[in-house]
Amino acid sequence: MKTTLKVICAPLLVCLAQSVSAQSILFEDLPVPGSFPEPEGMSLGSLQLNADVMAGLMKTNNVYRDASHLDSDATQLALSSTLTSSGERHLLIGTLEHYSQDFQDSAYQDMDLDATTGTVFGRFVTSELTNLRVLLINEEDILGKTQSEQLNSFTSGVETNQRVEVIFEIDNSRYFANVMGRNDKVDSETESGFQSDALNRSERDYIALGGRYFSWGRAFLFGGTQTLKYESRSDPTLAQRNSNENRYGIGAEYEVGKFSGDLDIFRFTQRFKSATIPDIKNAWVGSGRLNYAASDNFTLVLSADRRFHETNIPNSGGIFMENIFFGGAWSLTPNLYLRAGPSFSRTELENTPVVIDRYELDVELAWQMSSHFELLLTTNVFAQEPTSSFLTSFKAQQGNSVLSIRYSL
């Protein structure tokens, strides 16, 4: 799986989950207005604890997000906590998050899910010019939300990713450079029979990066390699999907007046062990975000990305997914905000004519009832249309709303 420089650069803060609903990734780029009260958390000596619990009721007219259009409702529960220790020579952040979903109709028990994620991030100053960053993740994510997962026959289940990432950086306040090593172990637990471990794999990355600071932000170049090895108990022939890849690209982070954002684009060539899977040569992926902060009460965001996903479909090297989002966040009163925006996504299966388009709208209304309690209403609607007539199971529409209440320290 291709990872953008937002991850390669290892952010210093790990954000708490904003909602129990399955909103689009690009909608999450839209920040909460700066004037909206944020939870203060609790100080425990030299430690800072932030935690919240959210309970919600979801109503949807399309449980599986496909052409079946089966409606139901479900309860949702999300727990999130972050513990931070900071000092002159270190920063340590630990997070623990849990999400559960329980459909009231027993016919949809395969969609009753529990997902837990634990993260430990550390940044250590090793000298005046160097630092070491370490990231450990044990993450569970719900399958079946995206077109790429549905193309892989995943309509439900949980994907587990265990990651170890280490970055050593040199930084003299004008120039910076770092080297990164990362290992991901990905396992899928589904109800899809022989598909249950079709994408189980190990990913190993080595990346070198260098750049410099400017008055408006910073820019960098990078390059590296990735090795993928598949691990299937049910189908040893999946090892033919093993591959090696090289990549190179550019990136930047900027802030000029009321505008800010980031950009990373890279090209990659992926060579497969199997003679039946064509190599992917000089393909590109990346992401970009432009943020306009008119005031603390009003923000506009334009986001776009192109991602690559693994596939278990014979004779195809993977799935490309392109997304674009434009939205705004408004503080209607000091304790009430609205976030909303439409998006468009296109999913393409490499080396095939398969293309799926989706038009989507996300809306979130939040009310700070007191210093600790917040009421949220989130809505997601989409219309999905395949370009090929034989993909009728992907022609779908959905309306999904969640009413939830959150308590924060």
Side-chain angles (χ1 to χ4, degrees):
M1 180 181 296
K2 304 299 171 284
T3 306
T4 68
L5 265 293
K6 296 175 187 176
V7 177
I8 290 174
C9 291
L12 296 183
L13 295 177
V14 180
C15 298
L16 294 174
Q18 292 297 315
S19 174
V20 295
S21 65
Q23 295 169 331
S24 68
I25 293 174
L26 297 186
F27 181 78
E28 295 174 1
D29 286 341
L30 189 58
V32 171
S35 60
F36 191 75
E38 292 292 334
E40 296 181 359
M42 177 186 300
S43 295
L44 303 172
S46 61
L47 304 177
Q48 174 69 24
L49 174 66
N50 293 87
D52 63 54
V53 56
M54 182 185 293
L57 178 64
M58 179 184 72
K59 181 68 176 179
T60 179
N61 66 357
N62 194 339
V63 174
Y64 292 103
R65 302 167 70 87
D66 61 16
S68 62
H69 293 104
L70 301 171
D71 64 279
S72 187
D73 53 78
T75 57
Q76 298 180 337
L77 178 67
L79 308 171
S80 181
S81 62
T82 300
L83 188 64
T84 304
S85 172
S86 59
E88 185 177 342
R89 301 185 65 84
H90 82 276
L91 173 66
L92 286 171
I93 302 174
T95 71
L96 182 63
E97 299 179 356
H98 178 78
Y99 169 82
S100 65
Q101 176 175 273
D102 183 14
F103 275 88
Q104 304 306 298
D105 192 327
S106 60
Y108 309 126
Q109 287 184 350
D110 58 324
M111 297 294 287
D112 293 343
L113 300 169
D114 291 280
T116 302
T117 295
T119 301
V120 177
F121 171 77
R123 182 181 186 275
F124 308 93
V125 177
T126 51
S127 75
E128 184 178 351
L129 299 179
T130 63
N131 67 82
L132 180 69
R133 302 201 293 273
V134 180
L135 179 64
L136 307 174
I137 299 177
N138 191 329
E139 177 184 29
E140 292 181 331
D141 192 21
I142 296 170
L143 289 169
K145 294 183 296 184
T146 67
Q147 300 99 309
S148 61
E149 293 166 351
Q150 293 167 11
L151 278 173
N152 286 326
S153 299
F154 294 146
T155 58
S156 64
V158 173
E159 181 180 79
T160 302
N161 179 18
Q162 296 177 325
R163 169 175 292 186
V164 178
E165 180 176 299
V166 178
I167 298 176
F168 180 75
E169 183 172 58
I170 301 173
D171 189 331
N172 68 0
S173 299
R174 184 177 181 185
Y175 296 96
F176 60 92
N178 65 51
V179 291
M180 181 202 74
R182 176 173 58 222
N183 187 80
D184 283 312
K185 188 176 186 305
V186 182
D187 296 299
S188 300
E189 300 176 12
T190 76
E191 303 291 335
S192 304
F194 71 92
Q195 299 284 2
S196 61
D197 64 352
L199 286 181
N200 290 2
R201 62 195 184 275
S202 295
E203 303 179 9
R204 184 163 296 177
D205 298 84
Y206 298 100
I207 303 290
L209 179 150
R212 65 164 293 181
Y213 295 98
F214 300 90
S215 60
W216 47 263
R218 65 178 193 166
F220 45 85
L221 303 173
F222 65 94
T225 65
Q226 181 185 72
T227 303
L228 271 73
K229 180 181 291 187
Y230 283 80
E231 304 169 346
S232 173
R233 300 179 302 275
S234 59
D235 189 356
T237 62
L238 283 172
Q240 295 178 1
R241 299 198 67 88
N242 293 352
S243 64
N244 292 286
E245 175 211 297
N246 55 63
R247 67 180 74 168
Y248 60 92
I250 61 173
E253 300 169 5
Y254 56 88
E255 183 172 354
V256 180
K258 295 182 178 182
F259 292 92
S260 63
D262 50 67
L263 171 73
D264 68 81
I265 299 175
F266 64 91
R267 299 182 72 92
F268 71 95
T269 293
Q270 192 163 4
R271 299 177 176 85
F272 295 89
K273 181 178 179 180
S274 172
T276 64
I277 302 176
D279 294 341
I280 300 175
K281 298 181 180 180
N282 290 319
W284 70 274
V285 293
S287 65
R289 179 173 57 91
L290 176 64
N291 182 94
Y292 175 69
S295 68
D296 285 345
N297 299 324
F298 179 54
T299 301
L300 292 173
V301 169
L302 175 64
S303 294
D305 69 27
R306 187 172 196 253
R307 301 176 185 270
F308 179 80
H309 302 271
E310 309 301 326
T311 185
N312 55 38
I313 299 174
N315 305 319
S316 178
I319 300 171
F320 287 95
M321 192 167 182
E322 301 164 359
N323 306 274
I324 186 167
F325 168 84
F326 177 73
W330 300 267
S331 180
L332 305 178
T333 72
N335 296 317
L336 184 71
Y337 77 77
L338 173 68
R339 295 197 298 168
S343 61
F344 169 76
S345 63
R346 167 164 288 182
T347 301
E348 302 174 77
L349 182 62
E350 176 73 2
N351 197 41
T352 75
V354 173
V355 177
I356 301 173
D357 291 339
R358 177 185 288 183
Y359 299 88
E360 198 161 0
L361 175 67
D362 286 286
V363 179
E364 178 180 85
L365 183 65
W367 175 36
Q368 186 81 28
M369 298 184 295
S370 71
S371 58
H372 295 287
F373 285 95
E374 185 178 336
L375 186 68
L376 296 100
L377 175 64
T378 60
T379 296
N380 170 270
V381 295
F382 73 76
Q384 183 171 284
E385 183 77 29
T387 60
S388 302
S389 58
F390 64 89
L391 294 172
T392 55
S393 63
F394 291 94
K395 185 174 182 178
Q397 302 82 38
Q398 185 209 43
N400 177 76
S401 293
V402 180
L403 180 64
S404 54
I405 187 169
R406 175 164 59 195
Y407 172 81
S408 303
L409 289 180

